Amino acid sequence: MPKNTYSITTTLPYVNADPHIGFALEIVQADVLARWHRLKGEEVVFNTGTDEHGQKIQAAAEKADMDPKAYCDEYAAKFHGLKEALDLTYTNFIRTTDEHHVKAAQEFWKRCDAAGDIYKKQYQVKYCVGCELEKTDSELVDGKCPIHPKLEVELRDEENYFFRWSKYQAALLKHYGENPGFVMPESRLKEIRSFVEGGLMDFSISRLKEKMSWGVPVPGDEAHVMYVWFDALVNYISTLGWPASGDFEKFWPGVQVAGKDNLRQQSAMWQGMLLSAGLPLSKQIFIHGFITADGQKMSKSLGNVVNPYDLVQAYGTDPVRYYLLGSLPAYEDGDYSRKQFEEAYAAKLVNGIGNLAARTATMVEKYCDAKVPAAVPDRFNTEDFWKAYEASLDRYHFDEAIRVLERYVTGVNQAIDLEAPFKKAKLGEDVAPFMYQLAEALRHIGTALLPVIPAAASRILAQLSIDPADVRLPEAEAWGGLKTGAVVKKGEILFPRLEAKS
RNA sequence: CGCGGGGUAGAGCAGUUGGCAGCUCGGCGGGCCCAUAACCCGCAGGUCGCGGGUUCGAGUCCCGCCCCCGCAACCA
């Protein structure tokens, strides 16, 4: 019997820059899933937070003449502010400087050590400060990191601890082979599989404290702190209270949402670490693409970085959520432009969902005395709609799910035209049965939208005298949920036209 | 032999297991008047980057090729 819990996490953004629209995409995707599973009655842990250790943070704090922790506090607050701006429902906000996380990272280290997977090695390594990663010769171009060619690759001659990643190559490949959906979309699983097939090199997991002190102390060795990745990845379980039992067993393994730049860390490094510690691997990893702006990569120098707070301020939370989920391809890179955003807003939200909600409520008010008439059978293939919608969401195919919903909306609009109840009413014909179908269809639309655009969806349901807190899936997916006699009341316009602003 | 993504209607994009090429915006012409000048129907507009191959049938599978984008501090 499957447990009735669900756990999902984003990656933890590194706190050396303001929140990025790409991270907004990631966390909204995770939020939709968290809300969706809550509607299904599951107990949900939804984790996010900030990654705060490492050389870059230490350097940035020094430059700002701040204590690293104070520097991190500032940034953590910026990320935490997304909760309100994007209407997020995360339950955990972990910071890798949190005391219990630090303890967990140390315990994790001990487990890997006990498994014989941590060893000391004298070595000379080429290290890119920009990536916080060591580079192999094959990764360098002209002796430089291809991602940070302006930085000199540092040659480091030191004794560090290493993690025996190579030991887990076969186990990882076996896991990928036996779990075809382990990394979604499938193309990303292929990508990581071929990377692992190419061979794994043990990676360094510590830094000399005298060179870099802003990190988790290595247990039993005063001279070293942990490499930032090693400590940060442990957050996915430290947030569940690990190594204490209870919530950990209850909620792990969980789902991880990450950007394509994080494929290797999430689906190979972290999984190798879990194998070493003797813990179950993640349940599933969903990899989203990047967002470009007007066809170009966002960068500060180009001045085209889209800030999620600005977008929300200009258009509102729900329109931003709907755009991120519905207008960008979930599986690949997508392009943002103001024009495209506003077009989508007008077409989908104003003319589509908003207008249908308004005309439906008005007609029931006019023709049925603002009360839900007696129930009649479905005419919109609502069951098929739910099936398709659910299948898309379960595959993290958010844009597809929204297309499915929009097709349903179109179907309802077509039926209104076909039935022309406004004509029949004038002729004295009984339009009550059709009014029921309309209002009930609107209930399904509002219900399906609850995870996506929660505020607007709640207002749609409120028009039908439904309290969103009472909505449960799959019960609410059945046709006929609207109660005869329930009051229907047209509310404020859901999505105002943008022209109205200027 | 670097890695990855992509080339489908004027623009922006969908196209699961190969089976009549779709969606949004824009253009044109109708309908409707319940609705946020919204909604519905129809028309115009495509050699699905190019060349081969497999197949009864290829946007979709295979081989070869061309072109575009990201992999530059910051940055998902």
Side-chain angles (χ1 to χ4, degrees):
Chain A
M1 174 154 158
K3 45 186 179 181
N4 201 32
T5 59
Y6 182 79
S7 108
I8 185 163
T9 184
T10 65
T11 54
L12 301 192
Y14 206 51
V15 289
N16 59 349
D18 289 345
H20 188 279
I21 185 79
F23 182 65
L25 168 69
E26 178 170 317
I27 200 165
V28 166
Q29 288 175 331
D31 187 61
V32 171
L33 294 167
R35 288 177 180 271
W36 172 248
H37 284 269
R38 262 186 224 112
L39 281 173
K40 295 204 278 190
E42 295 166 37
E43 193 181 348
V44 173
V45 166
F46 172 14
N47 179 61
T48 189
T50 44
D51 179 7
E52 307 187 352
H53 289 121
Q55 181 160 330
K56 273 197 283 189
I57 303 299
Q58 187 178 40
E62 274 168 18
K63 197 175 170 188
D65 198 24
M66 290 176 79
D67 174 71
K69 183 59 165 59
Y71 173 87
C72 291
D73 287 347
E74 244 179 45
Y75 272 98
K78 288 186 186 181
F79 281 91
H80 195 42
L82 289 174
K83 185 166 196 173
E84 193 189 342
L86 293 171
D87 203 356
L88 304 171
T89 58
Y90 56 79
T91 56
N92 297 19
F93 188 92
I94 192 166
R95 299 177 55 184
T96 56
T97 49
D98 287 346
E99 187 59 29
H100 77 278
H101 170 76
V102 169
K103 291 230 169 77
Q106 290 174 324
E107 173 62 21
F108 197 94
W109 176 289
K110 288 182 195 163
R111 302 270 176 115
C112 295
D113 192 29
D117 293 335
I118 292 179
Y119 63 97
K120 244 183 177 178
K121 190 169 100 177
Q122 183 75 33
Y123 79 116
Q124 190 175 52
V125 72
K126 299 189 173 83
Y127 186 85
C128 174
V129 177
C131 299
E132 291 275 12
L133 285 169
E134 279 128 22
K135 297 286 165 175
T136 60
D137 286 333
S138 64
E139 286 177 300
L140 298 177
V141 176
D142 297 330
K144 307 242 179 164
C145 167
I147 302 169
H148 304 93
K150 285 180 188 164
L151 293 176
E152 287 299 323
V153 172
E154 293 180 15
L155 280 178
R156 296 190 166 187
D157 192 11
E158 58 183 60
E159 191 176 55
N160 278 357
Y161 288 97
F162 275 71
F163 175 70
R164 215 179 290 280
W165 201 20
S166 54
K167 181 173 158 187
Y168 296 101
Q169 179 183 20
L172 287 172
L173 290 173
K174 180 163 181 277
H175 190 75
Y176 300 150
E178 289 170 355
N179 300 276
F182 181 61
V183 180
M184 292 284 287
E186 202 188 344
S187 57
R188 297 297 175 194
L189 181 69
K190 280 188 194 158
E191 193 179 331
I192 194 63
R193 182 191 286 135
S194 62
F195 171 79
V196 174
E197 279 169 351
L200 299 179
M201 305 249 290
D202 295 349
F203 55 86
S204 164
I205 54 172
S206 75
R207 295 291 172 269
L208 279 176
K209 198 170 180 179
E210 60 179 23
K211 290 188 187 168
M212 210 295 289
S213 62
W214 186 236
V216 177
V218 166
D221 191 338
E222 292 284 305
H224 288 81
V225 298
M226 288 182 202
Y227 163 67
V228 62
W229 277 110
F230 191 89
D231 124 54
L233 288 167
V234 175
N235 93 85
Y236 304 131
I237 59 174
S238 70
T239 194
L240 299 175
W242 186 89
S245 53
D247 277 357
F248 175 68
E249 283 78 8
K250 189 170 168 188
F251 289 101
W252 189 257
V255 170
Q256 297 177 213
V257 182
K260 65 180 187 181
D261 57 328
N262 250 277
L263 174 66
R264 189 185 304 180
Q265 289 86 345
Q266 306 303 327
S267 49
M269 284 166 62
W270 171 229
Q271 306 308 319
M273 288 163 61
L274 285 166
L275 285 167
S276 173
L279 299 172
L281 302 193
S282 303
K283 182 171 160 191
Q284 194 167 42
I285 297 163
F286 169 64
I287 303 288
H288 66 258
F290 279 4
I291 304 174
T292 55
D294 296 309
Q296 287 185 300
K297 180 176 163 67
M298 290 183 207
S299 73
K300 283 182 182 170
S301 62
L302 286 173
N304 65 345
V305 174
V306 179
N307 177 319
Y309 288 113
D310 293 345
L311 265 192
V312 166
Q313 193 169 19
Y315 301 106
T317 297
D318 279 340
V320 170
R321 289 175 63 108
Y322 198 81
Y323 174 82
L324 289 173
L325 296 160
S327 294
L328 298 173
Y331 284 6
E332 282 158 21
D333 291 354
D335 188 52
Y336 164 86
S337 77
R338 190 193 174 91
K339 181 169 175 279
Q340 187 211 37
F341 185 104
E342 294 187 352
E343 260 181 27
Y345 176 78
K348 276 94 178 262
L349 292 178
V350 177
N351 299 345
I353 293 161
N355 184 54
L356 179 63
R359 67 196 306 210
T360 297
T362 301
M363 283 192 277
V364 177
E365 282 185 350
K366 275 191 186 169
Y367 308 136
C368 297
D369 202 22
K371 299 229 169 62
V372 174
V376 293
D378 182 24
R379 63 181 288 154
F380 299 116
N381 295 318
T382 301
E383 197 182 331
D384 291 343
F385 155 70
W386 277 109
K387 245 185 245 169
Y389 190 71
E390 194 153 355
S392 296
L393 280 185
D394 285 344
R395 288 167 47 239
Y396 310 93
H397 214 323
F398 303 99
D399 55 322
E400 184 182 80
I402 284 182
R403 278 198 299 278
V404 166
L405 179 98
E406 285 164 356
R407 233 177 287 137
Y408 188 77
V409 170
T410 297
V412 177
N413 274 326
Q414 286 170 328
I416 293 174
D417 203 68
L418 186 71
E419 293 289 330
F422 31 85
K423 276 186 191 166
K424 288 184 177 169
K426 281 179 192 158
L427 297 171
E429 292 178 37
D430 181 16
V431 297
F434 184 59
M435 287 302 110
Y436 181 87
Q437 292 174 318
L438 271 192
E440 171 68 0
L442 186 62
R443 183 184 70 81
H444 288 278
I445 292 166
T447 303
L449 283 171
L450 274 176
V452 179
I453 44 175
S458 297
R459 287 169 60 199
I460 289 172
L461 293 178
Q463 287 191 6
L464 304 169
S465 297
I466 292 171
D467 182 346
D470 296 336
V471 175
R472 286 285 172 276
L473 299 181
E475 291 80 359
E477 295 175 15
W479 182 264
L482 259 190
K483 290 196 194 83
T484 301
V487 173
V488 176
K489 188 167 176 9
K490 185 179 178 180
E492 292 289 301
I493 280 182
L494 280 174
F495 301 105
R497 238 157 244 294
L498 291 174
E499 296 90 81
K501 286 183 179 173
S502 55

